[in-house]
Amino acid sequence: VPALATERRFAQRLRECLEEERLSDGRYQLQRVPGGRVALPVLEEKLSQLCLPSEMPCELLRLQDPVPSRAARRRTPAQRLREELRRLLGASWSEELERDVPHAWQRHGDLVLLNEDSFKAAPWERLGSALWETVASALGAQRVARRGRVMPDGMRTPSVTLLLGQHGWVEHVDNRIRYTFDVTKCMFSPGNITEKLRVASLPCSGEVVVDLYAGIGYFTLPFLVHAGAAFVHACEWNSHAVEALHRTLVLNGVQDRCCIHTGDSRQLQLRDVADRVNLGLIPSSEEGWPVACRVLKKDLGGVLHIHHNVETPPAPAPLQTVVLLAERGSPESAGPGEEAQHPTEDVGEETLGARLRPEWQRWAEATATRIQGLLAELHGWPWRTRVLHIEAVKSYAPHVHHLVLDLECRPVLP
């Protein structure tokens, strides 16, 4: 429509008429186009019902980048998705279908990963690719995938179906670290962000680290990029995760400071190399404890970061502030004229300064005792273990908490 002032008013009146006839596309606003004209947004599926006025020079024009209306800019992505789907289904829209539309999803670059219970009703399947193209358009994505249940194969392999797009490789930026992985073959766990940030802040300058369950590099990369580790030995048995880890190391320019050991970490041949060992496996990393003891430097020891899910019954009383053990030693570690050291409370530097449940403390003490015994048996001389910190990562399930124990292990040499 010509864009003179009087004709602009006419354009506005024309839009009101279109809205009354439910022909106007409320997602977009009136917009100037080349040639001194104004474009009115019209629903594409309603074009056959459109009668252009003969007294005004009008023509149909497809815009590549229409300007969203103010109302559209205020809509949440979930609202936009529902509106687009209602428009797609028309009279077939129902409350049952609306309940099947997701409220949340994961976004990895231009790929949207839907939850497993999304769009399961039969009418959705009949829409075919039109459904996934609509979902992608509404959410500003190019690719769409839907996850299923994690496979019980010991590798936590995701069951993900690619619904729109040619491949599942994505890039995810987390704490200034670029991760890349195939969502159809590997998982990315955003729930461990607090622990990844904590690892990134550890003082690891010049240290050699062994990451026994590296995955796609959740902790390997923070050790290398932010914590200043000199070298990381990353162990992983999932070939898809190994490929992703290779690519991620290159993306971040740290491939020269990492060696990937493929296969079962329990068969790892490394010995006497590590200042620090990460055991990031839940519900328990206990099968990796003997390996962790073997790779620690036998003359200097080091620190173990032990992940575990600990059951915590509901506490009737408020959480108490607990101070945890200074050192744990065996009777053999006492020098002449000294008494053997036992767990003691200390309000000085050894205080954890965290609100801990008694069950967490008991687990930490039992783990420290077990590791101390493994080290003494392996090397033939006594060791000391000391709890440095207990980190509550998250609630994994009702009354089950994902914890990380930082355990210092030092040999008691003659």
Side-chain angles (χ1 to χ4, degrees):
V1 179
L4 298 174
T6 56
E7 290 158 350
R8 186 176 179 85
R9 287 196 296 271
F10 174 82
Q12 185 62 46
R13 289 198 302 275
L14 179 57
R15 179 170 189 169
E16 292 172 359
C17 292
L18 293 174
E19 289 175 348
E20 289 179 7
E21 298 296 326
R22 297 186 178 181
L23 302 178
S24 179
D25 192 339
R27 297 171 298 173
Y28 305 106
Q29 64 184 29
L30 291 172
Q31 153 180 11
R32 287 184 179 274
V33 294
R37 298 174 297 170
V38 172
L40 297 169
V42 180
L43 291 170
E44 186 172 2
E45 64 269 23
K46 301 287 188 178
L47 285 177
S48 61
Q49 305 174 28
L50 182 63
C51 295
L52 297 175
S54 58
E55 70 273 15
M56 295 298 293
C58 299
E59 64 177 305
L60 294 176
L61 179 67
R62 182 180 294 276
L63 299 180
Q64 295 298 322
D65 298 301
V67 178
S69 65
R70 292 181 180 179
R73 290 196 296 268
R74 288 194 297 267
R75 290 178 302 169
T76 65
Q79 289 172 331
R80 286 199 301 272
L81 177 59
R82 278 166 173 72
E83 289 180 13
E84 295 292 332
L85 292 171
R86 285 193 193 99
R87 188 173 289 110
L88 176 65
L89 284 164
S92 300
W93 183 257
S94 66
E95 290 185 5
E96 178 188 1
L97 291 178
E98 183 161 6
R99 287 193 296 270
D100 220 22
V101 178
H103 294 272
W105 46 84
Q106 284 187 17
R107 179 181 292 276
H108 300 287
D110 69 350
L111 184 145
V112 168
L113 181 60
L114 303 173
N115 294 327
E116 61 181 297
D117 57 351
S118 304
F119 302 111
K120 288 295 188 179
W124 296 120
E125 299 298 329
R126 292 197 291 269
L127 293 174
S129 61
L131 170 62
W132 311 123
E133 290 169 359
T134 301
V135 171
S137 175
L139 300 182
Q142 299 296 321
R143 295 176 291 163
V144 179
R146 180 172 57 197
R147 72 173 124 204
R149 296 188 180 278
V150 176
M151 296 181 184
D153 57 1
M155 300 184 189
R156 292 184 59 78
T157 303
S159 175
V160 173
T161 303
L162 190 64
L163 304 167
L164 181 67
Q166 300 301 313
H167 64 86
W169 280 95
V170 299
E171 186 173 313
H172 186 94
V173 179
D174 191 76
N175 190 24
R176 294 178 287 117
I177 297 172
R178 297 168 64 190
Y179 295 89
T180 184
F181 58 100
D182 187 337
V183 295
T184 67
K185 298 174 181 177
C186 298
M187 291 184 62
F188 188 89
S189 177
N192 294 336
I193 181 62
T194 57
E195 181 61 11
K196 285 182 281 189
L197 290 172
R198 193 177 75 91
V199 164
S201 69
L202 292 173
C204 302
S205 179
E207 292 186 350
V208 174
V209 178
V210 173
D211 189 357
L212 283 182
Y213 310 100
I216 67 170
Y218 294 122
F219 301 113
T220 295
L221 270 295
F223 275 122
L224 289 168
V225 175
H226 296 308
F231 199 87
V232 174
H233 293 276
C235 309
E236 179 54 44
W237 67 354
N238 183 332
S239 61
H240 301 301
V242 168
E243 182 182 1
L245 179 55
H246 270 298
R247 294 190 183 197
T248 295
L249 291 169
V250 172
L251 268 180
N252 293 275
V254 293
Q255 65 272 24
D256 294 337
R257 293 162 48 212
C258 183
C259 177
I260 301 176
H261 301 264
T262 59
D264 191 338
S265 61
R266 291 171 294 188
Q267 308 301 320
L268 185 65
Q269 297 302 307
L270 288 178
R271 287 178 177 267
D272 188 26
V273 297
D275 300 289
R276 195 178 296 265
V277 184
N278 192 64
L279 298 103
L281 181 67
I282 54 175
S284 174
S285 61
E286 189 167 352
E287 287 192 355
W289 294 359
V291 183
C293 291
R294 287 201 303 270
V295 300
L296 275 180
K297 291 181 176 178
K298 63 181 181 181
D299 294 333
L300 297 175
V303 176
L304 306 182
H305 301 284
I306 303 172
H307 292 236
H308 197 81
N309 281 354
V310 176
E311 187 171 352
T312 312
L319 295 181
Q320 58 181 322
T321 299
V322 179
V323 289
L324 260 185
L325 31 139
E327 289 186 350
R328 176 181 304 278
S330 62
E332 292 81 10
S333 68
E338 296 178 359
E339 293 183 355
Q341 297 180 354
H342 299 280
T344 59
E345 289 192 348
D346 192 316
V347 296
E349 293 182 354
E350 307 303 333
T351 301
L352 292 182
R355 294 168 64 81
L356 300 175
R357 294 179 184 264
E359 293 82 6
W360 302 356
Q361 180 182 3
R362 287 194 288 271
W363 166 74
E365 292 174 345
T367 301
T369 299
R370 174 79 182 281
I371 295 294
Q372 177 191 300
L374 288 173
L375 287 164
E377 180 181 350
L378 174 66
H379 296 291
W381 58 76
W383 284 64
R384 288 196 304 259
T385 55
R386 183 167 62 117
V387 172
L388 300 177
H389 181 73
I390 297 176
E391 180 74 12
V393 178
K394 63 184 177 185
S395 177
Y396 189 80
H399 314 308
V400 177
H401 290 85
H402 175 183
L403 304 182
V404 181
L405 167 62
D406 295 351
L407 186 67
E408 183 182 46
C409 306
R410 303 293 180 194
V412 180
L413 300 176

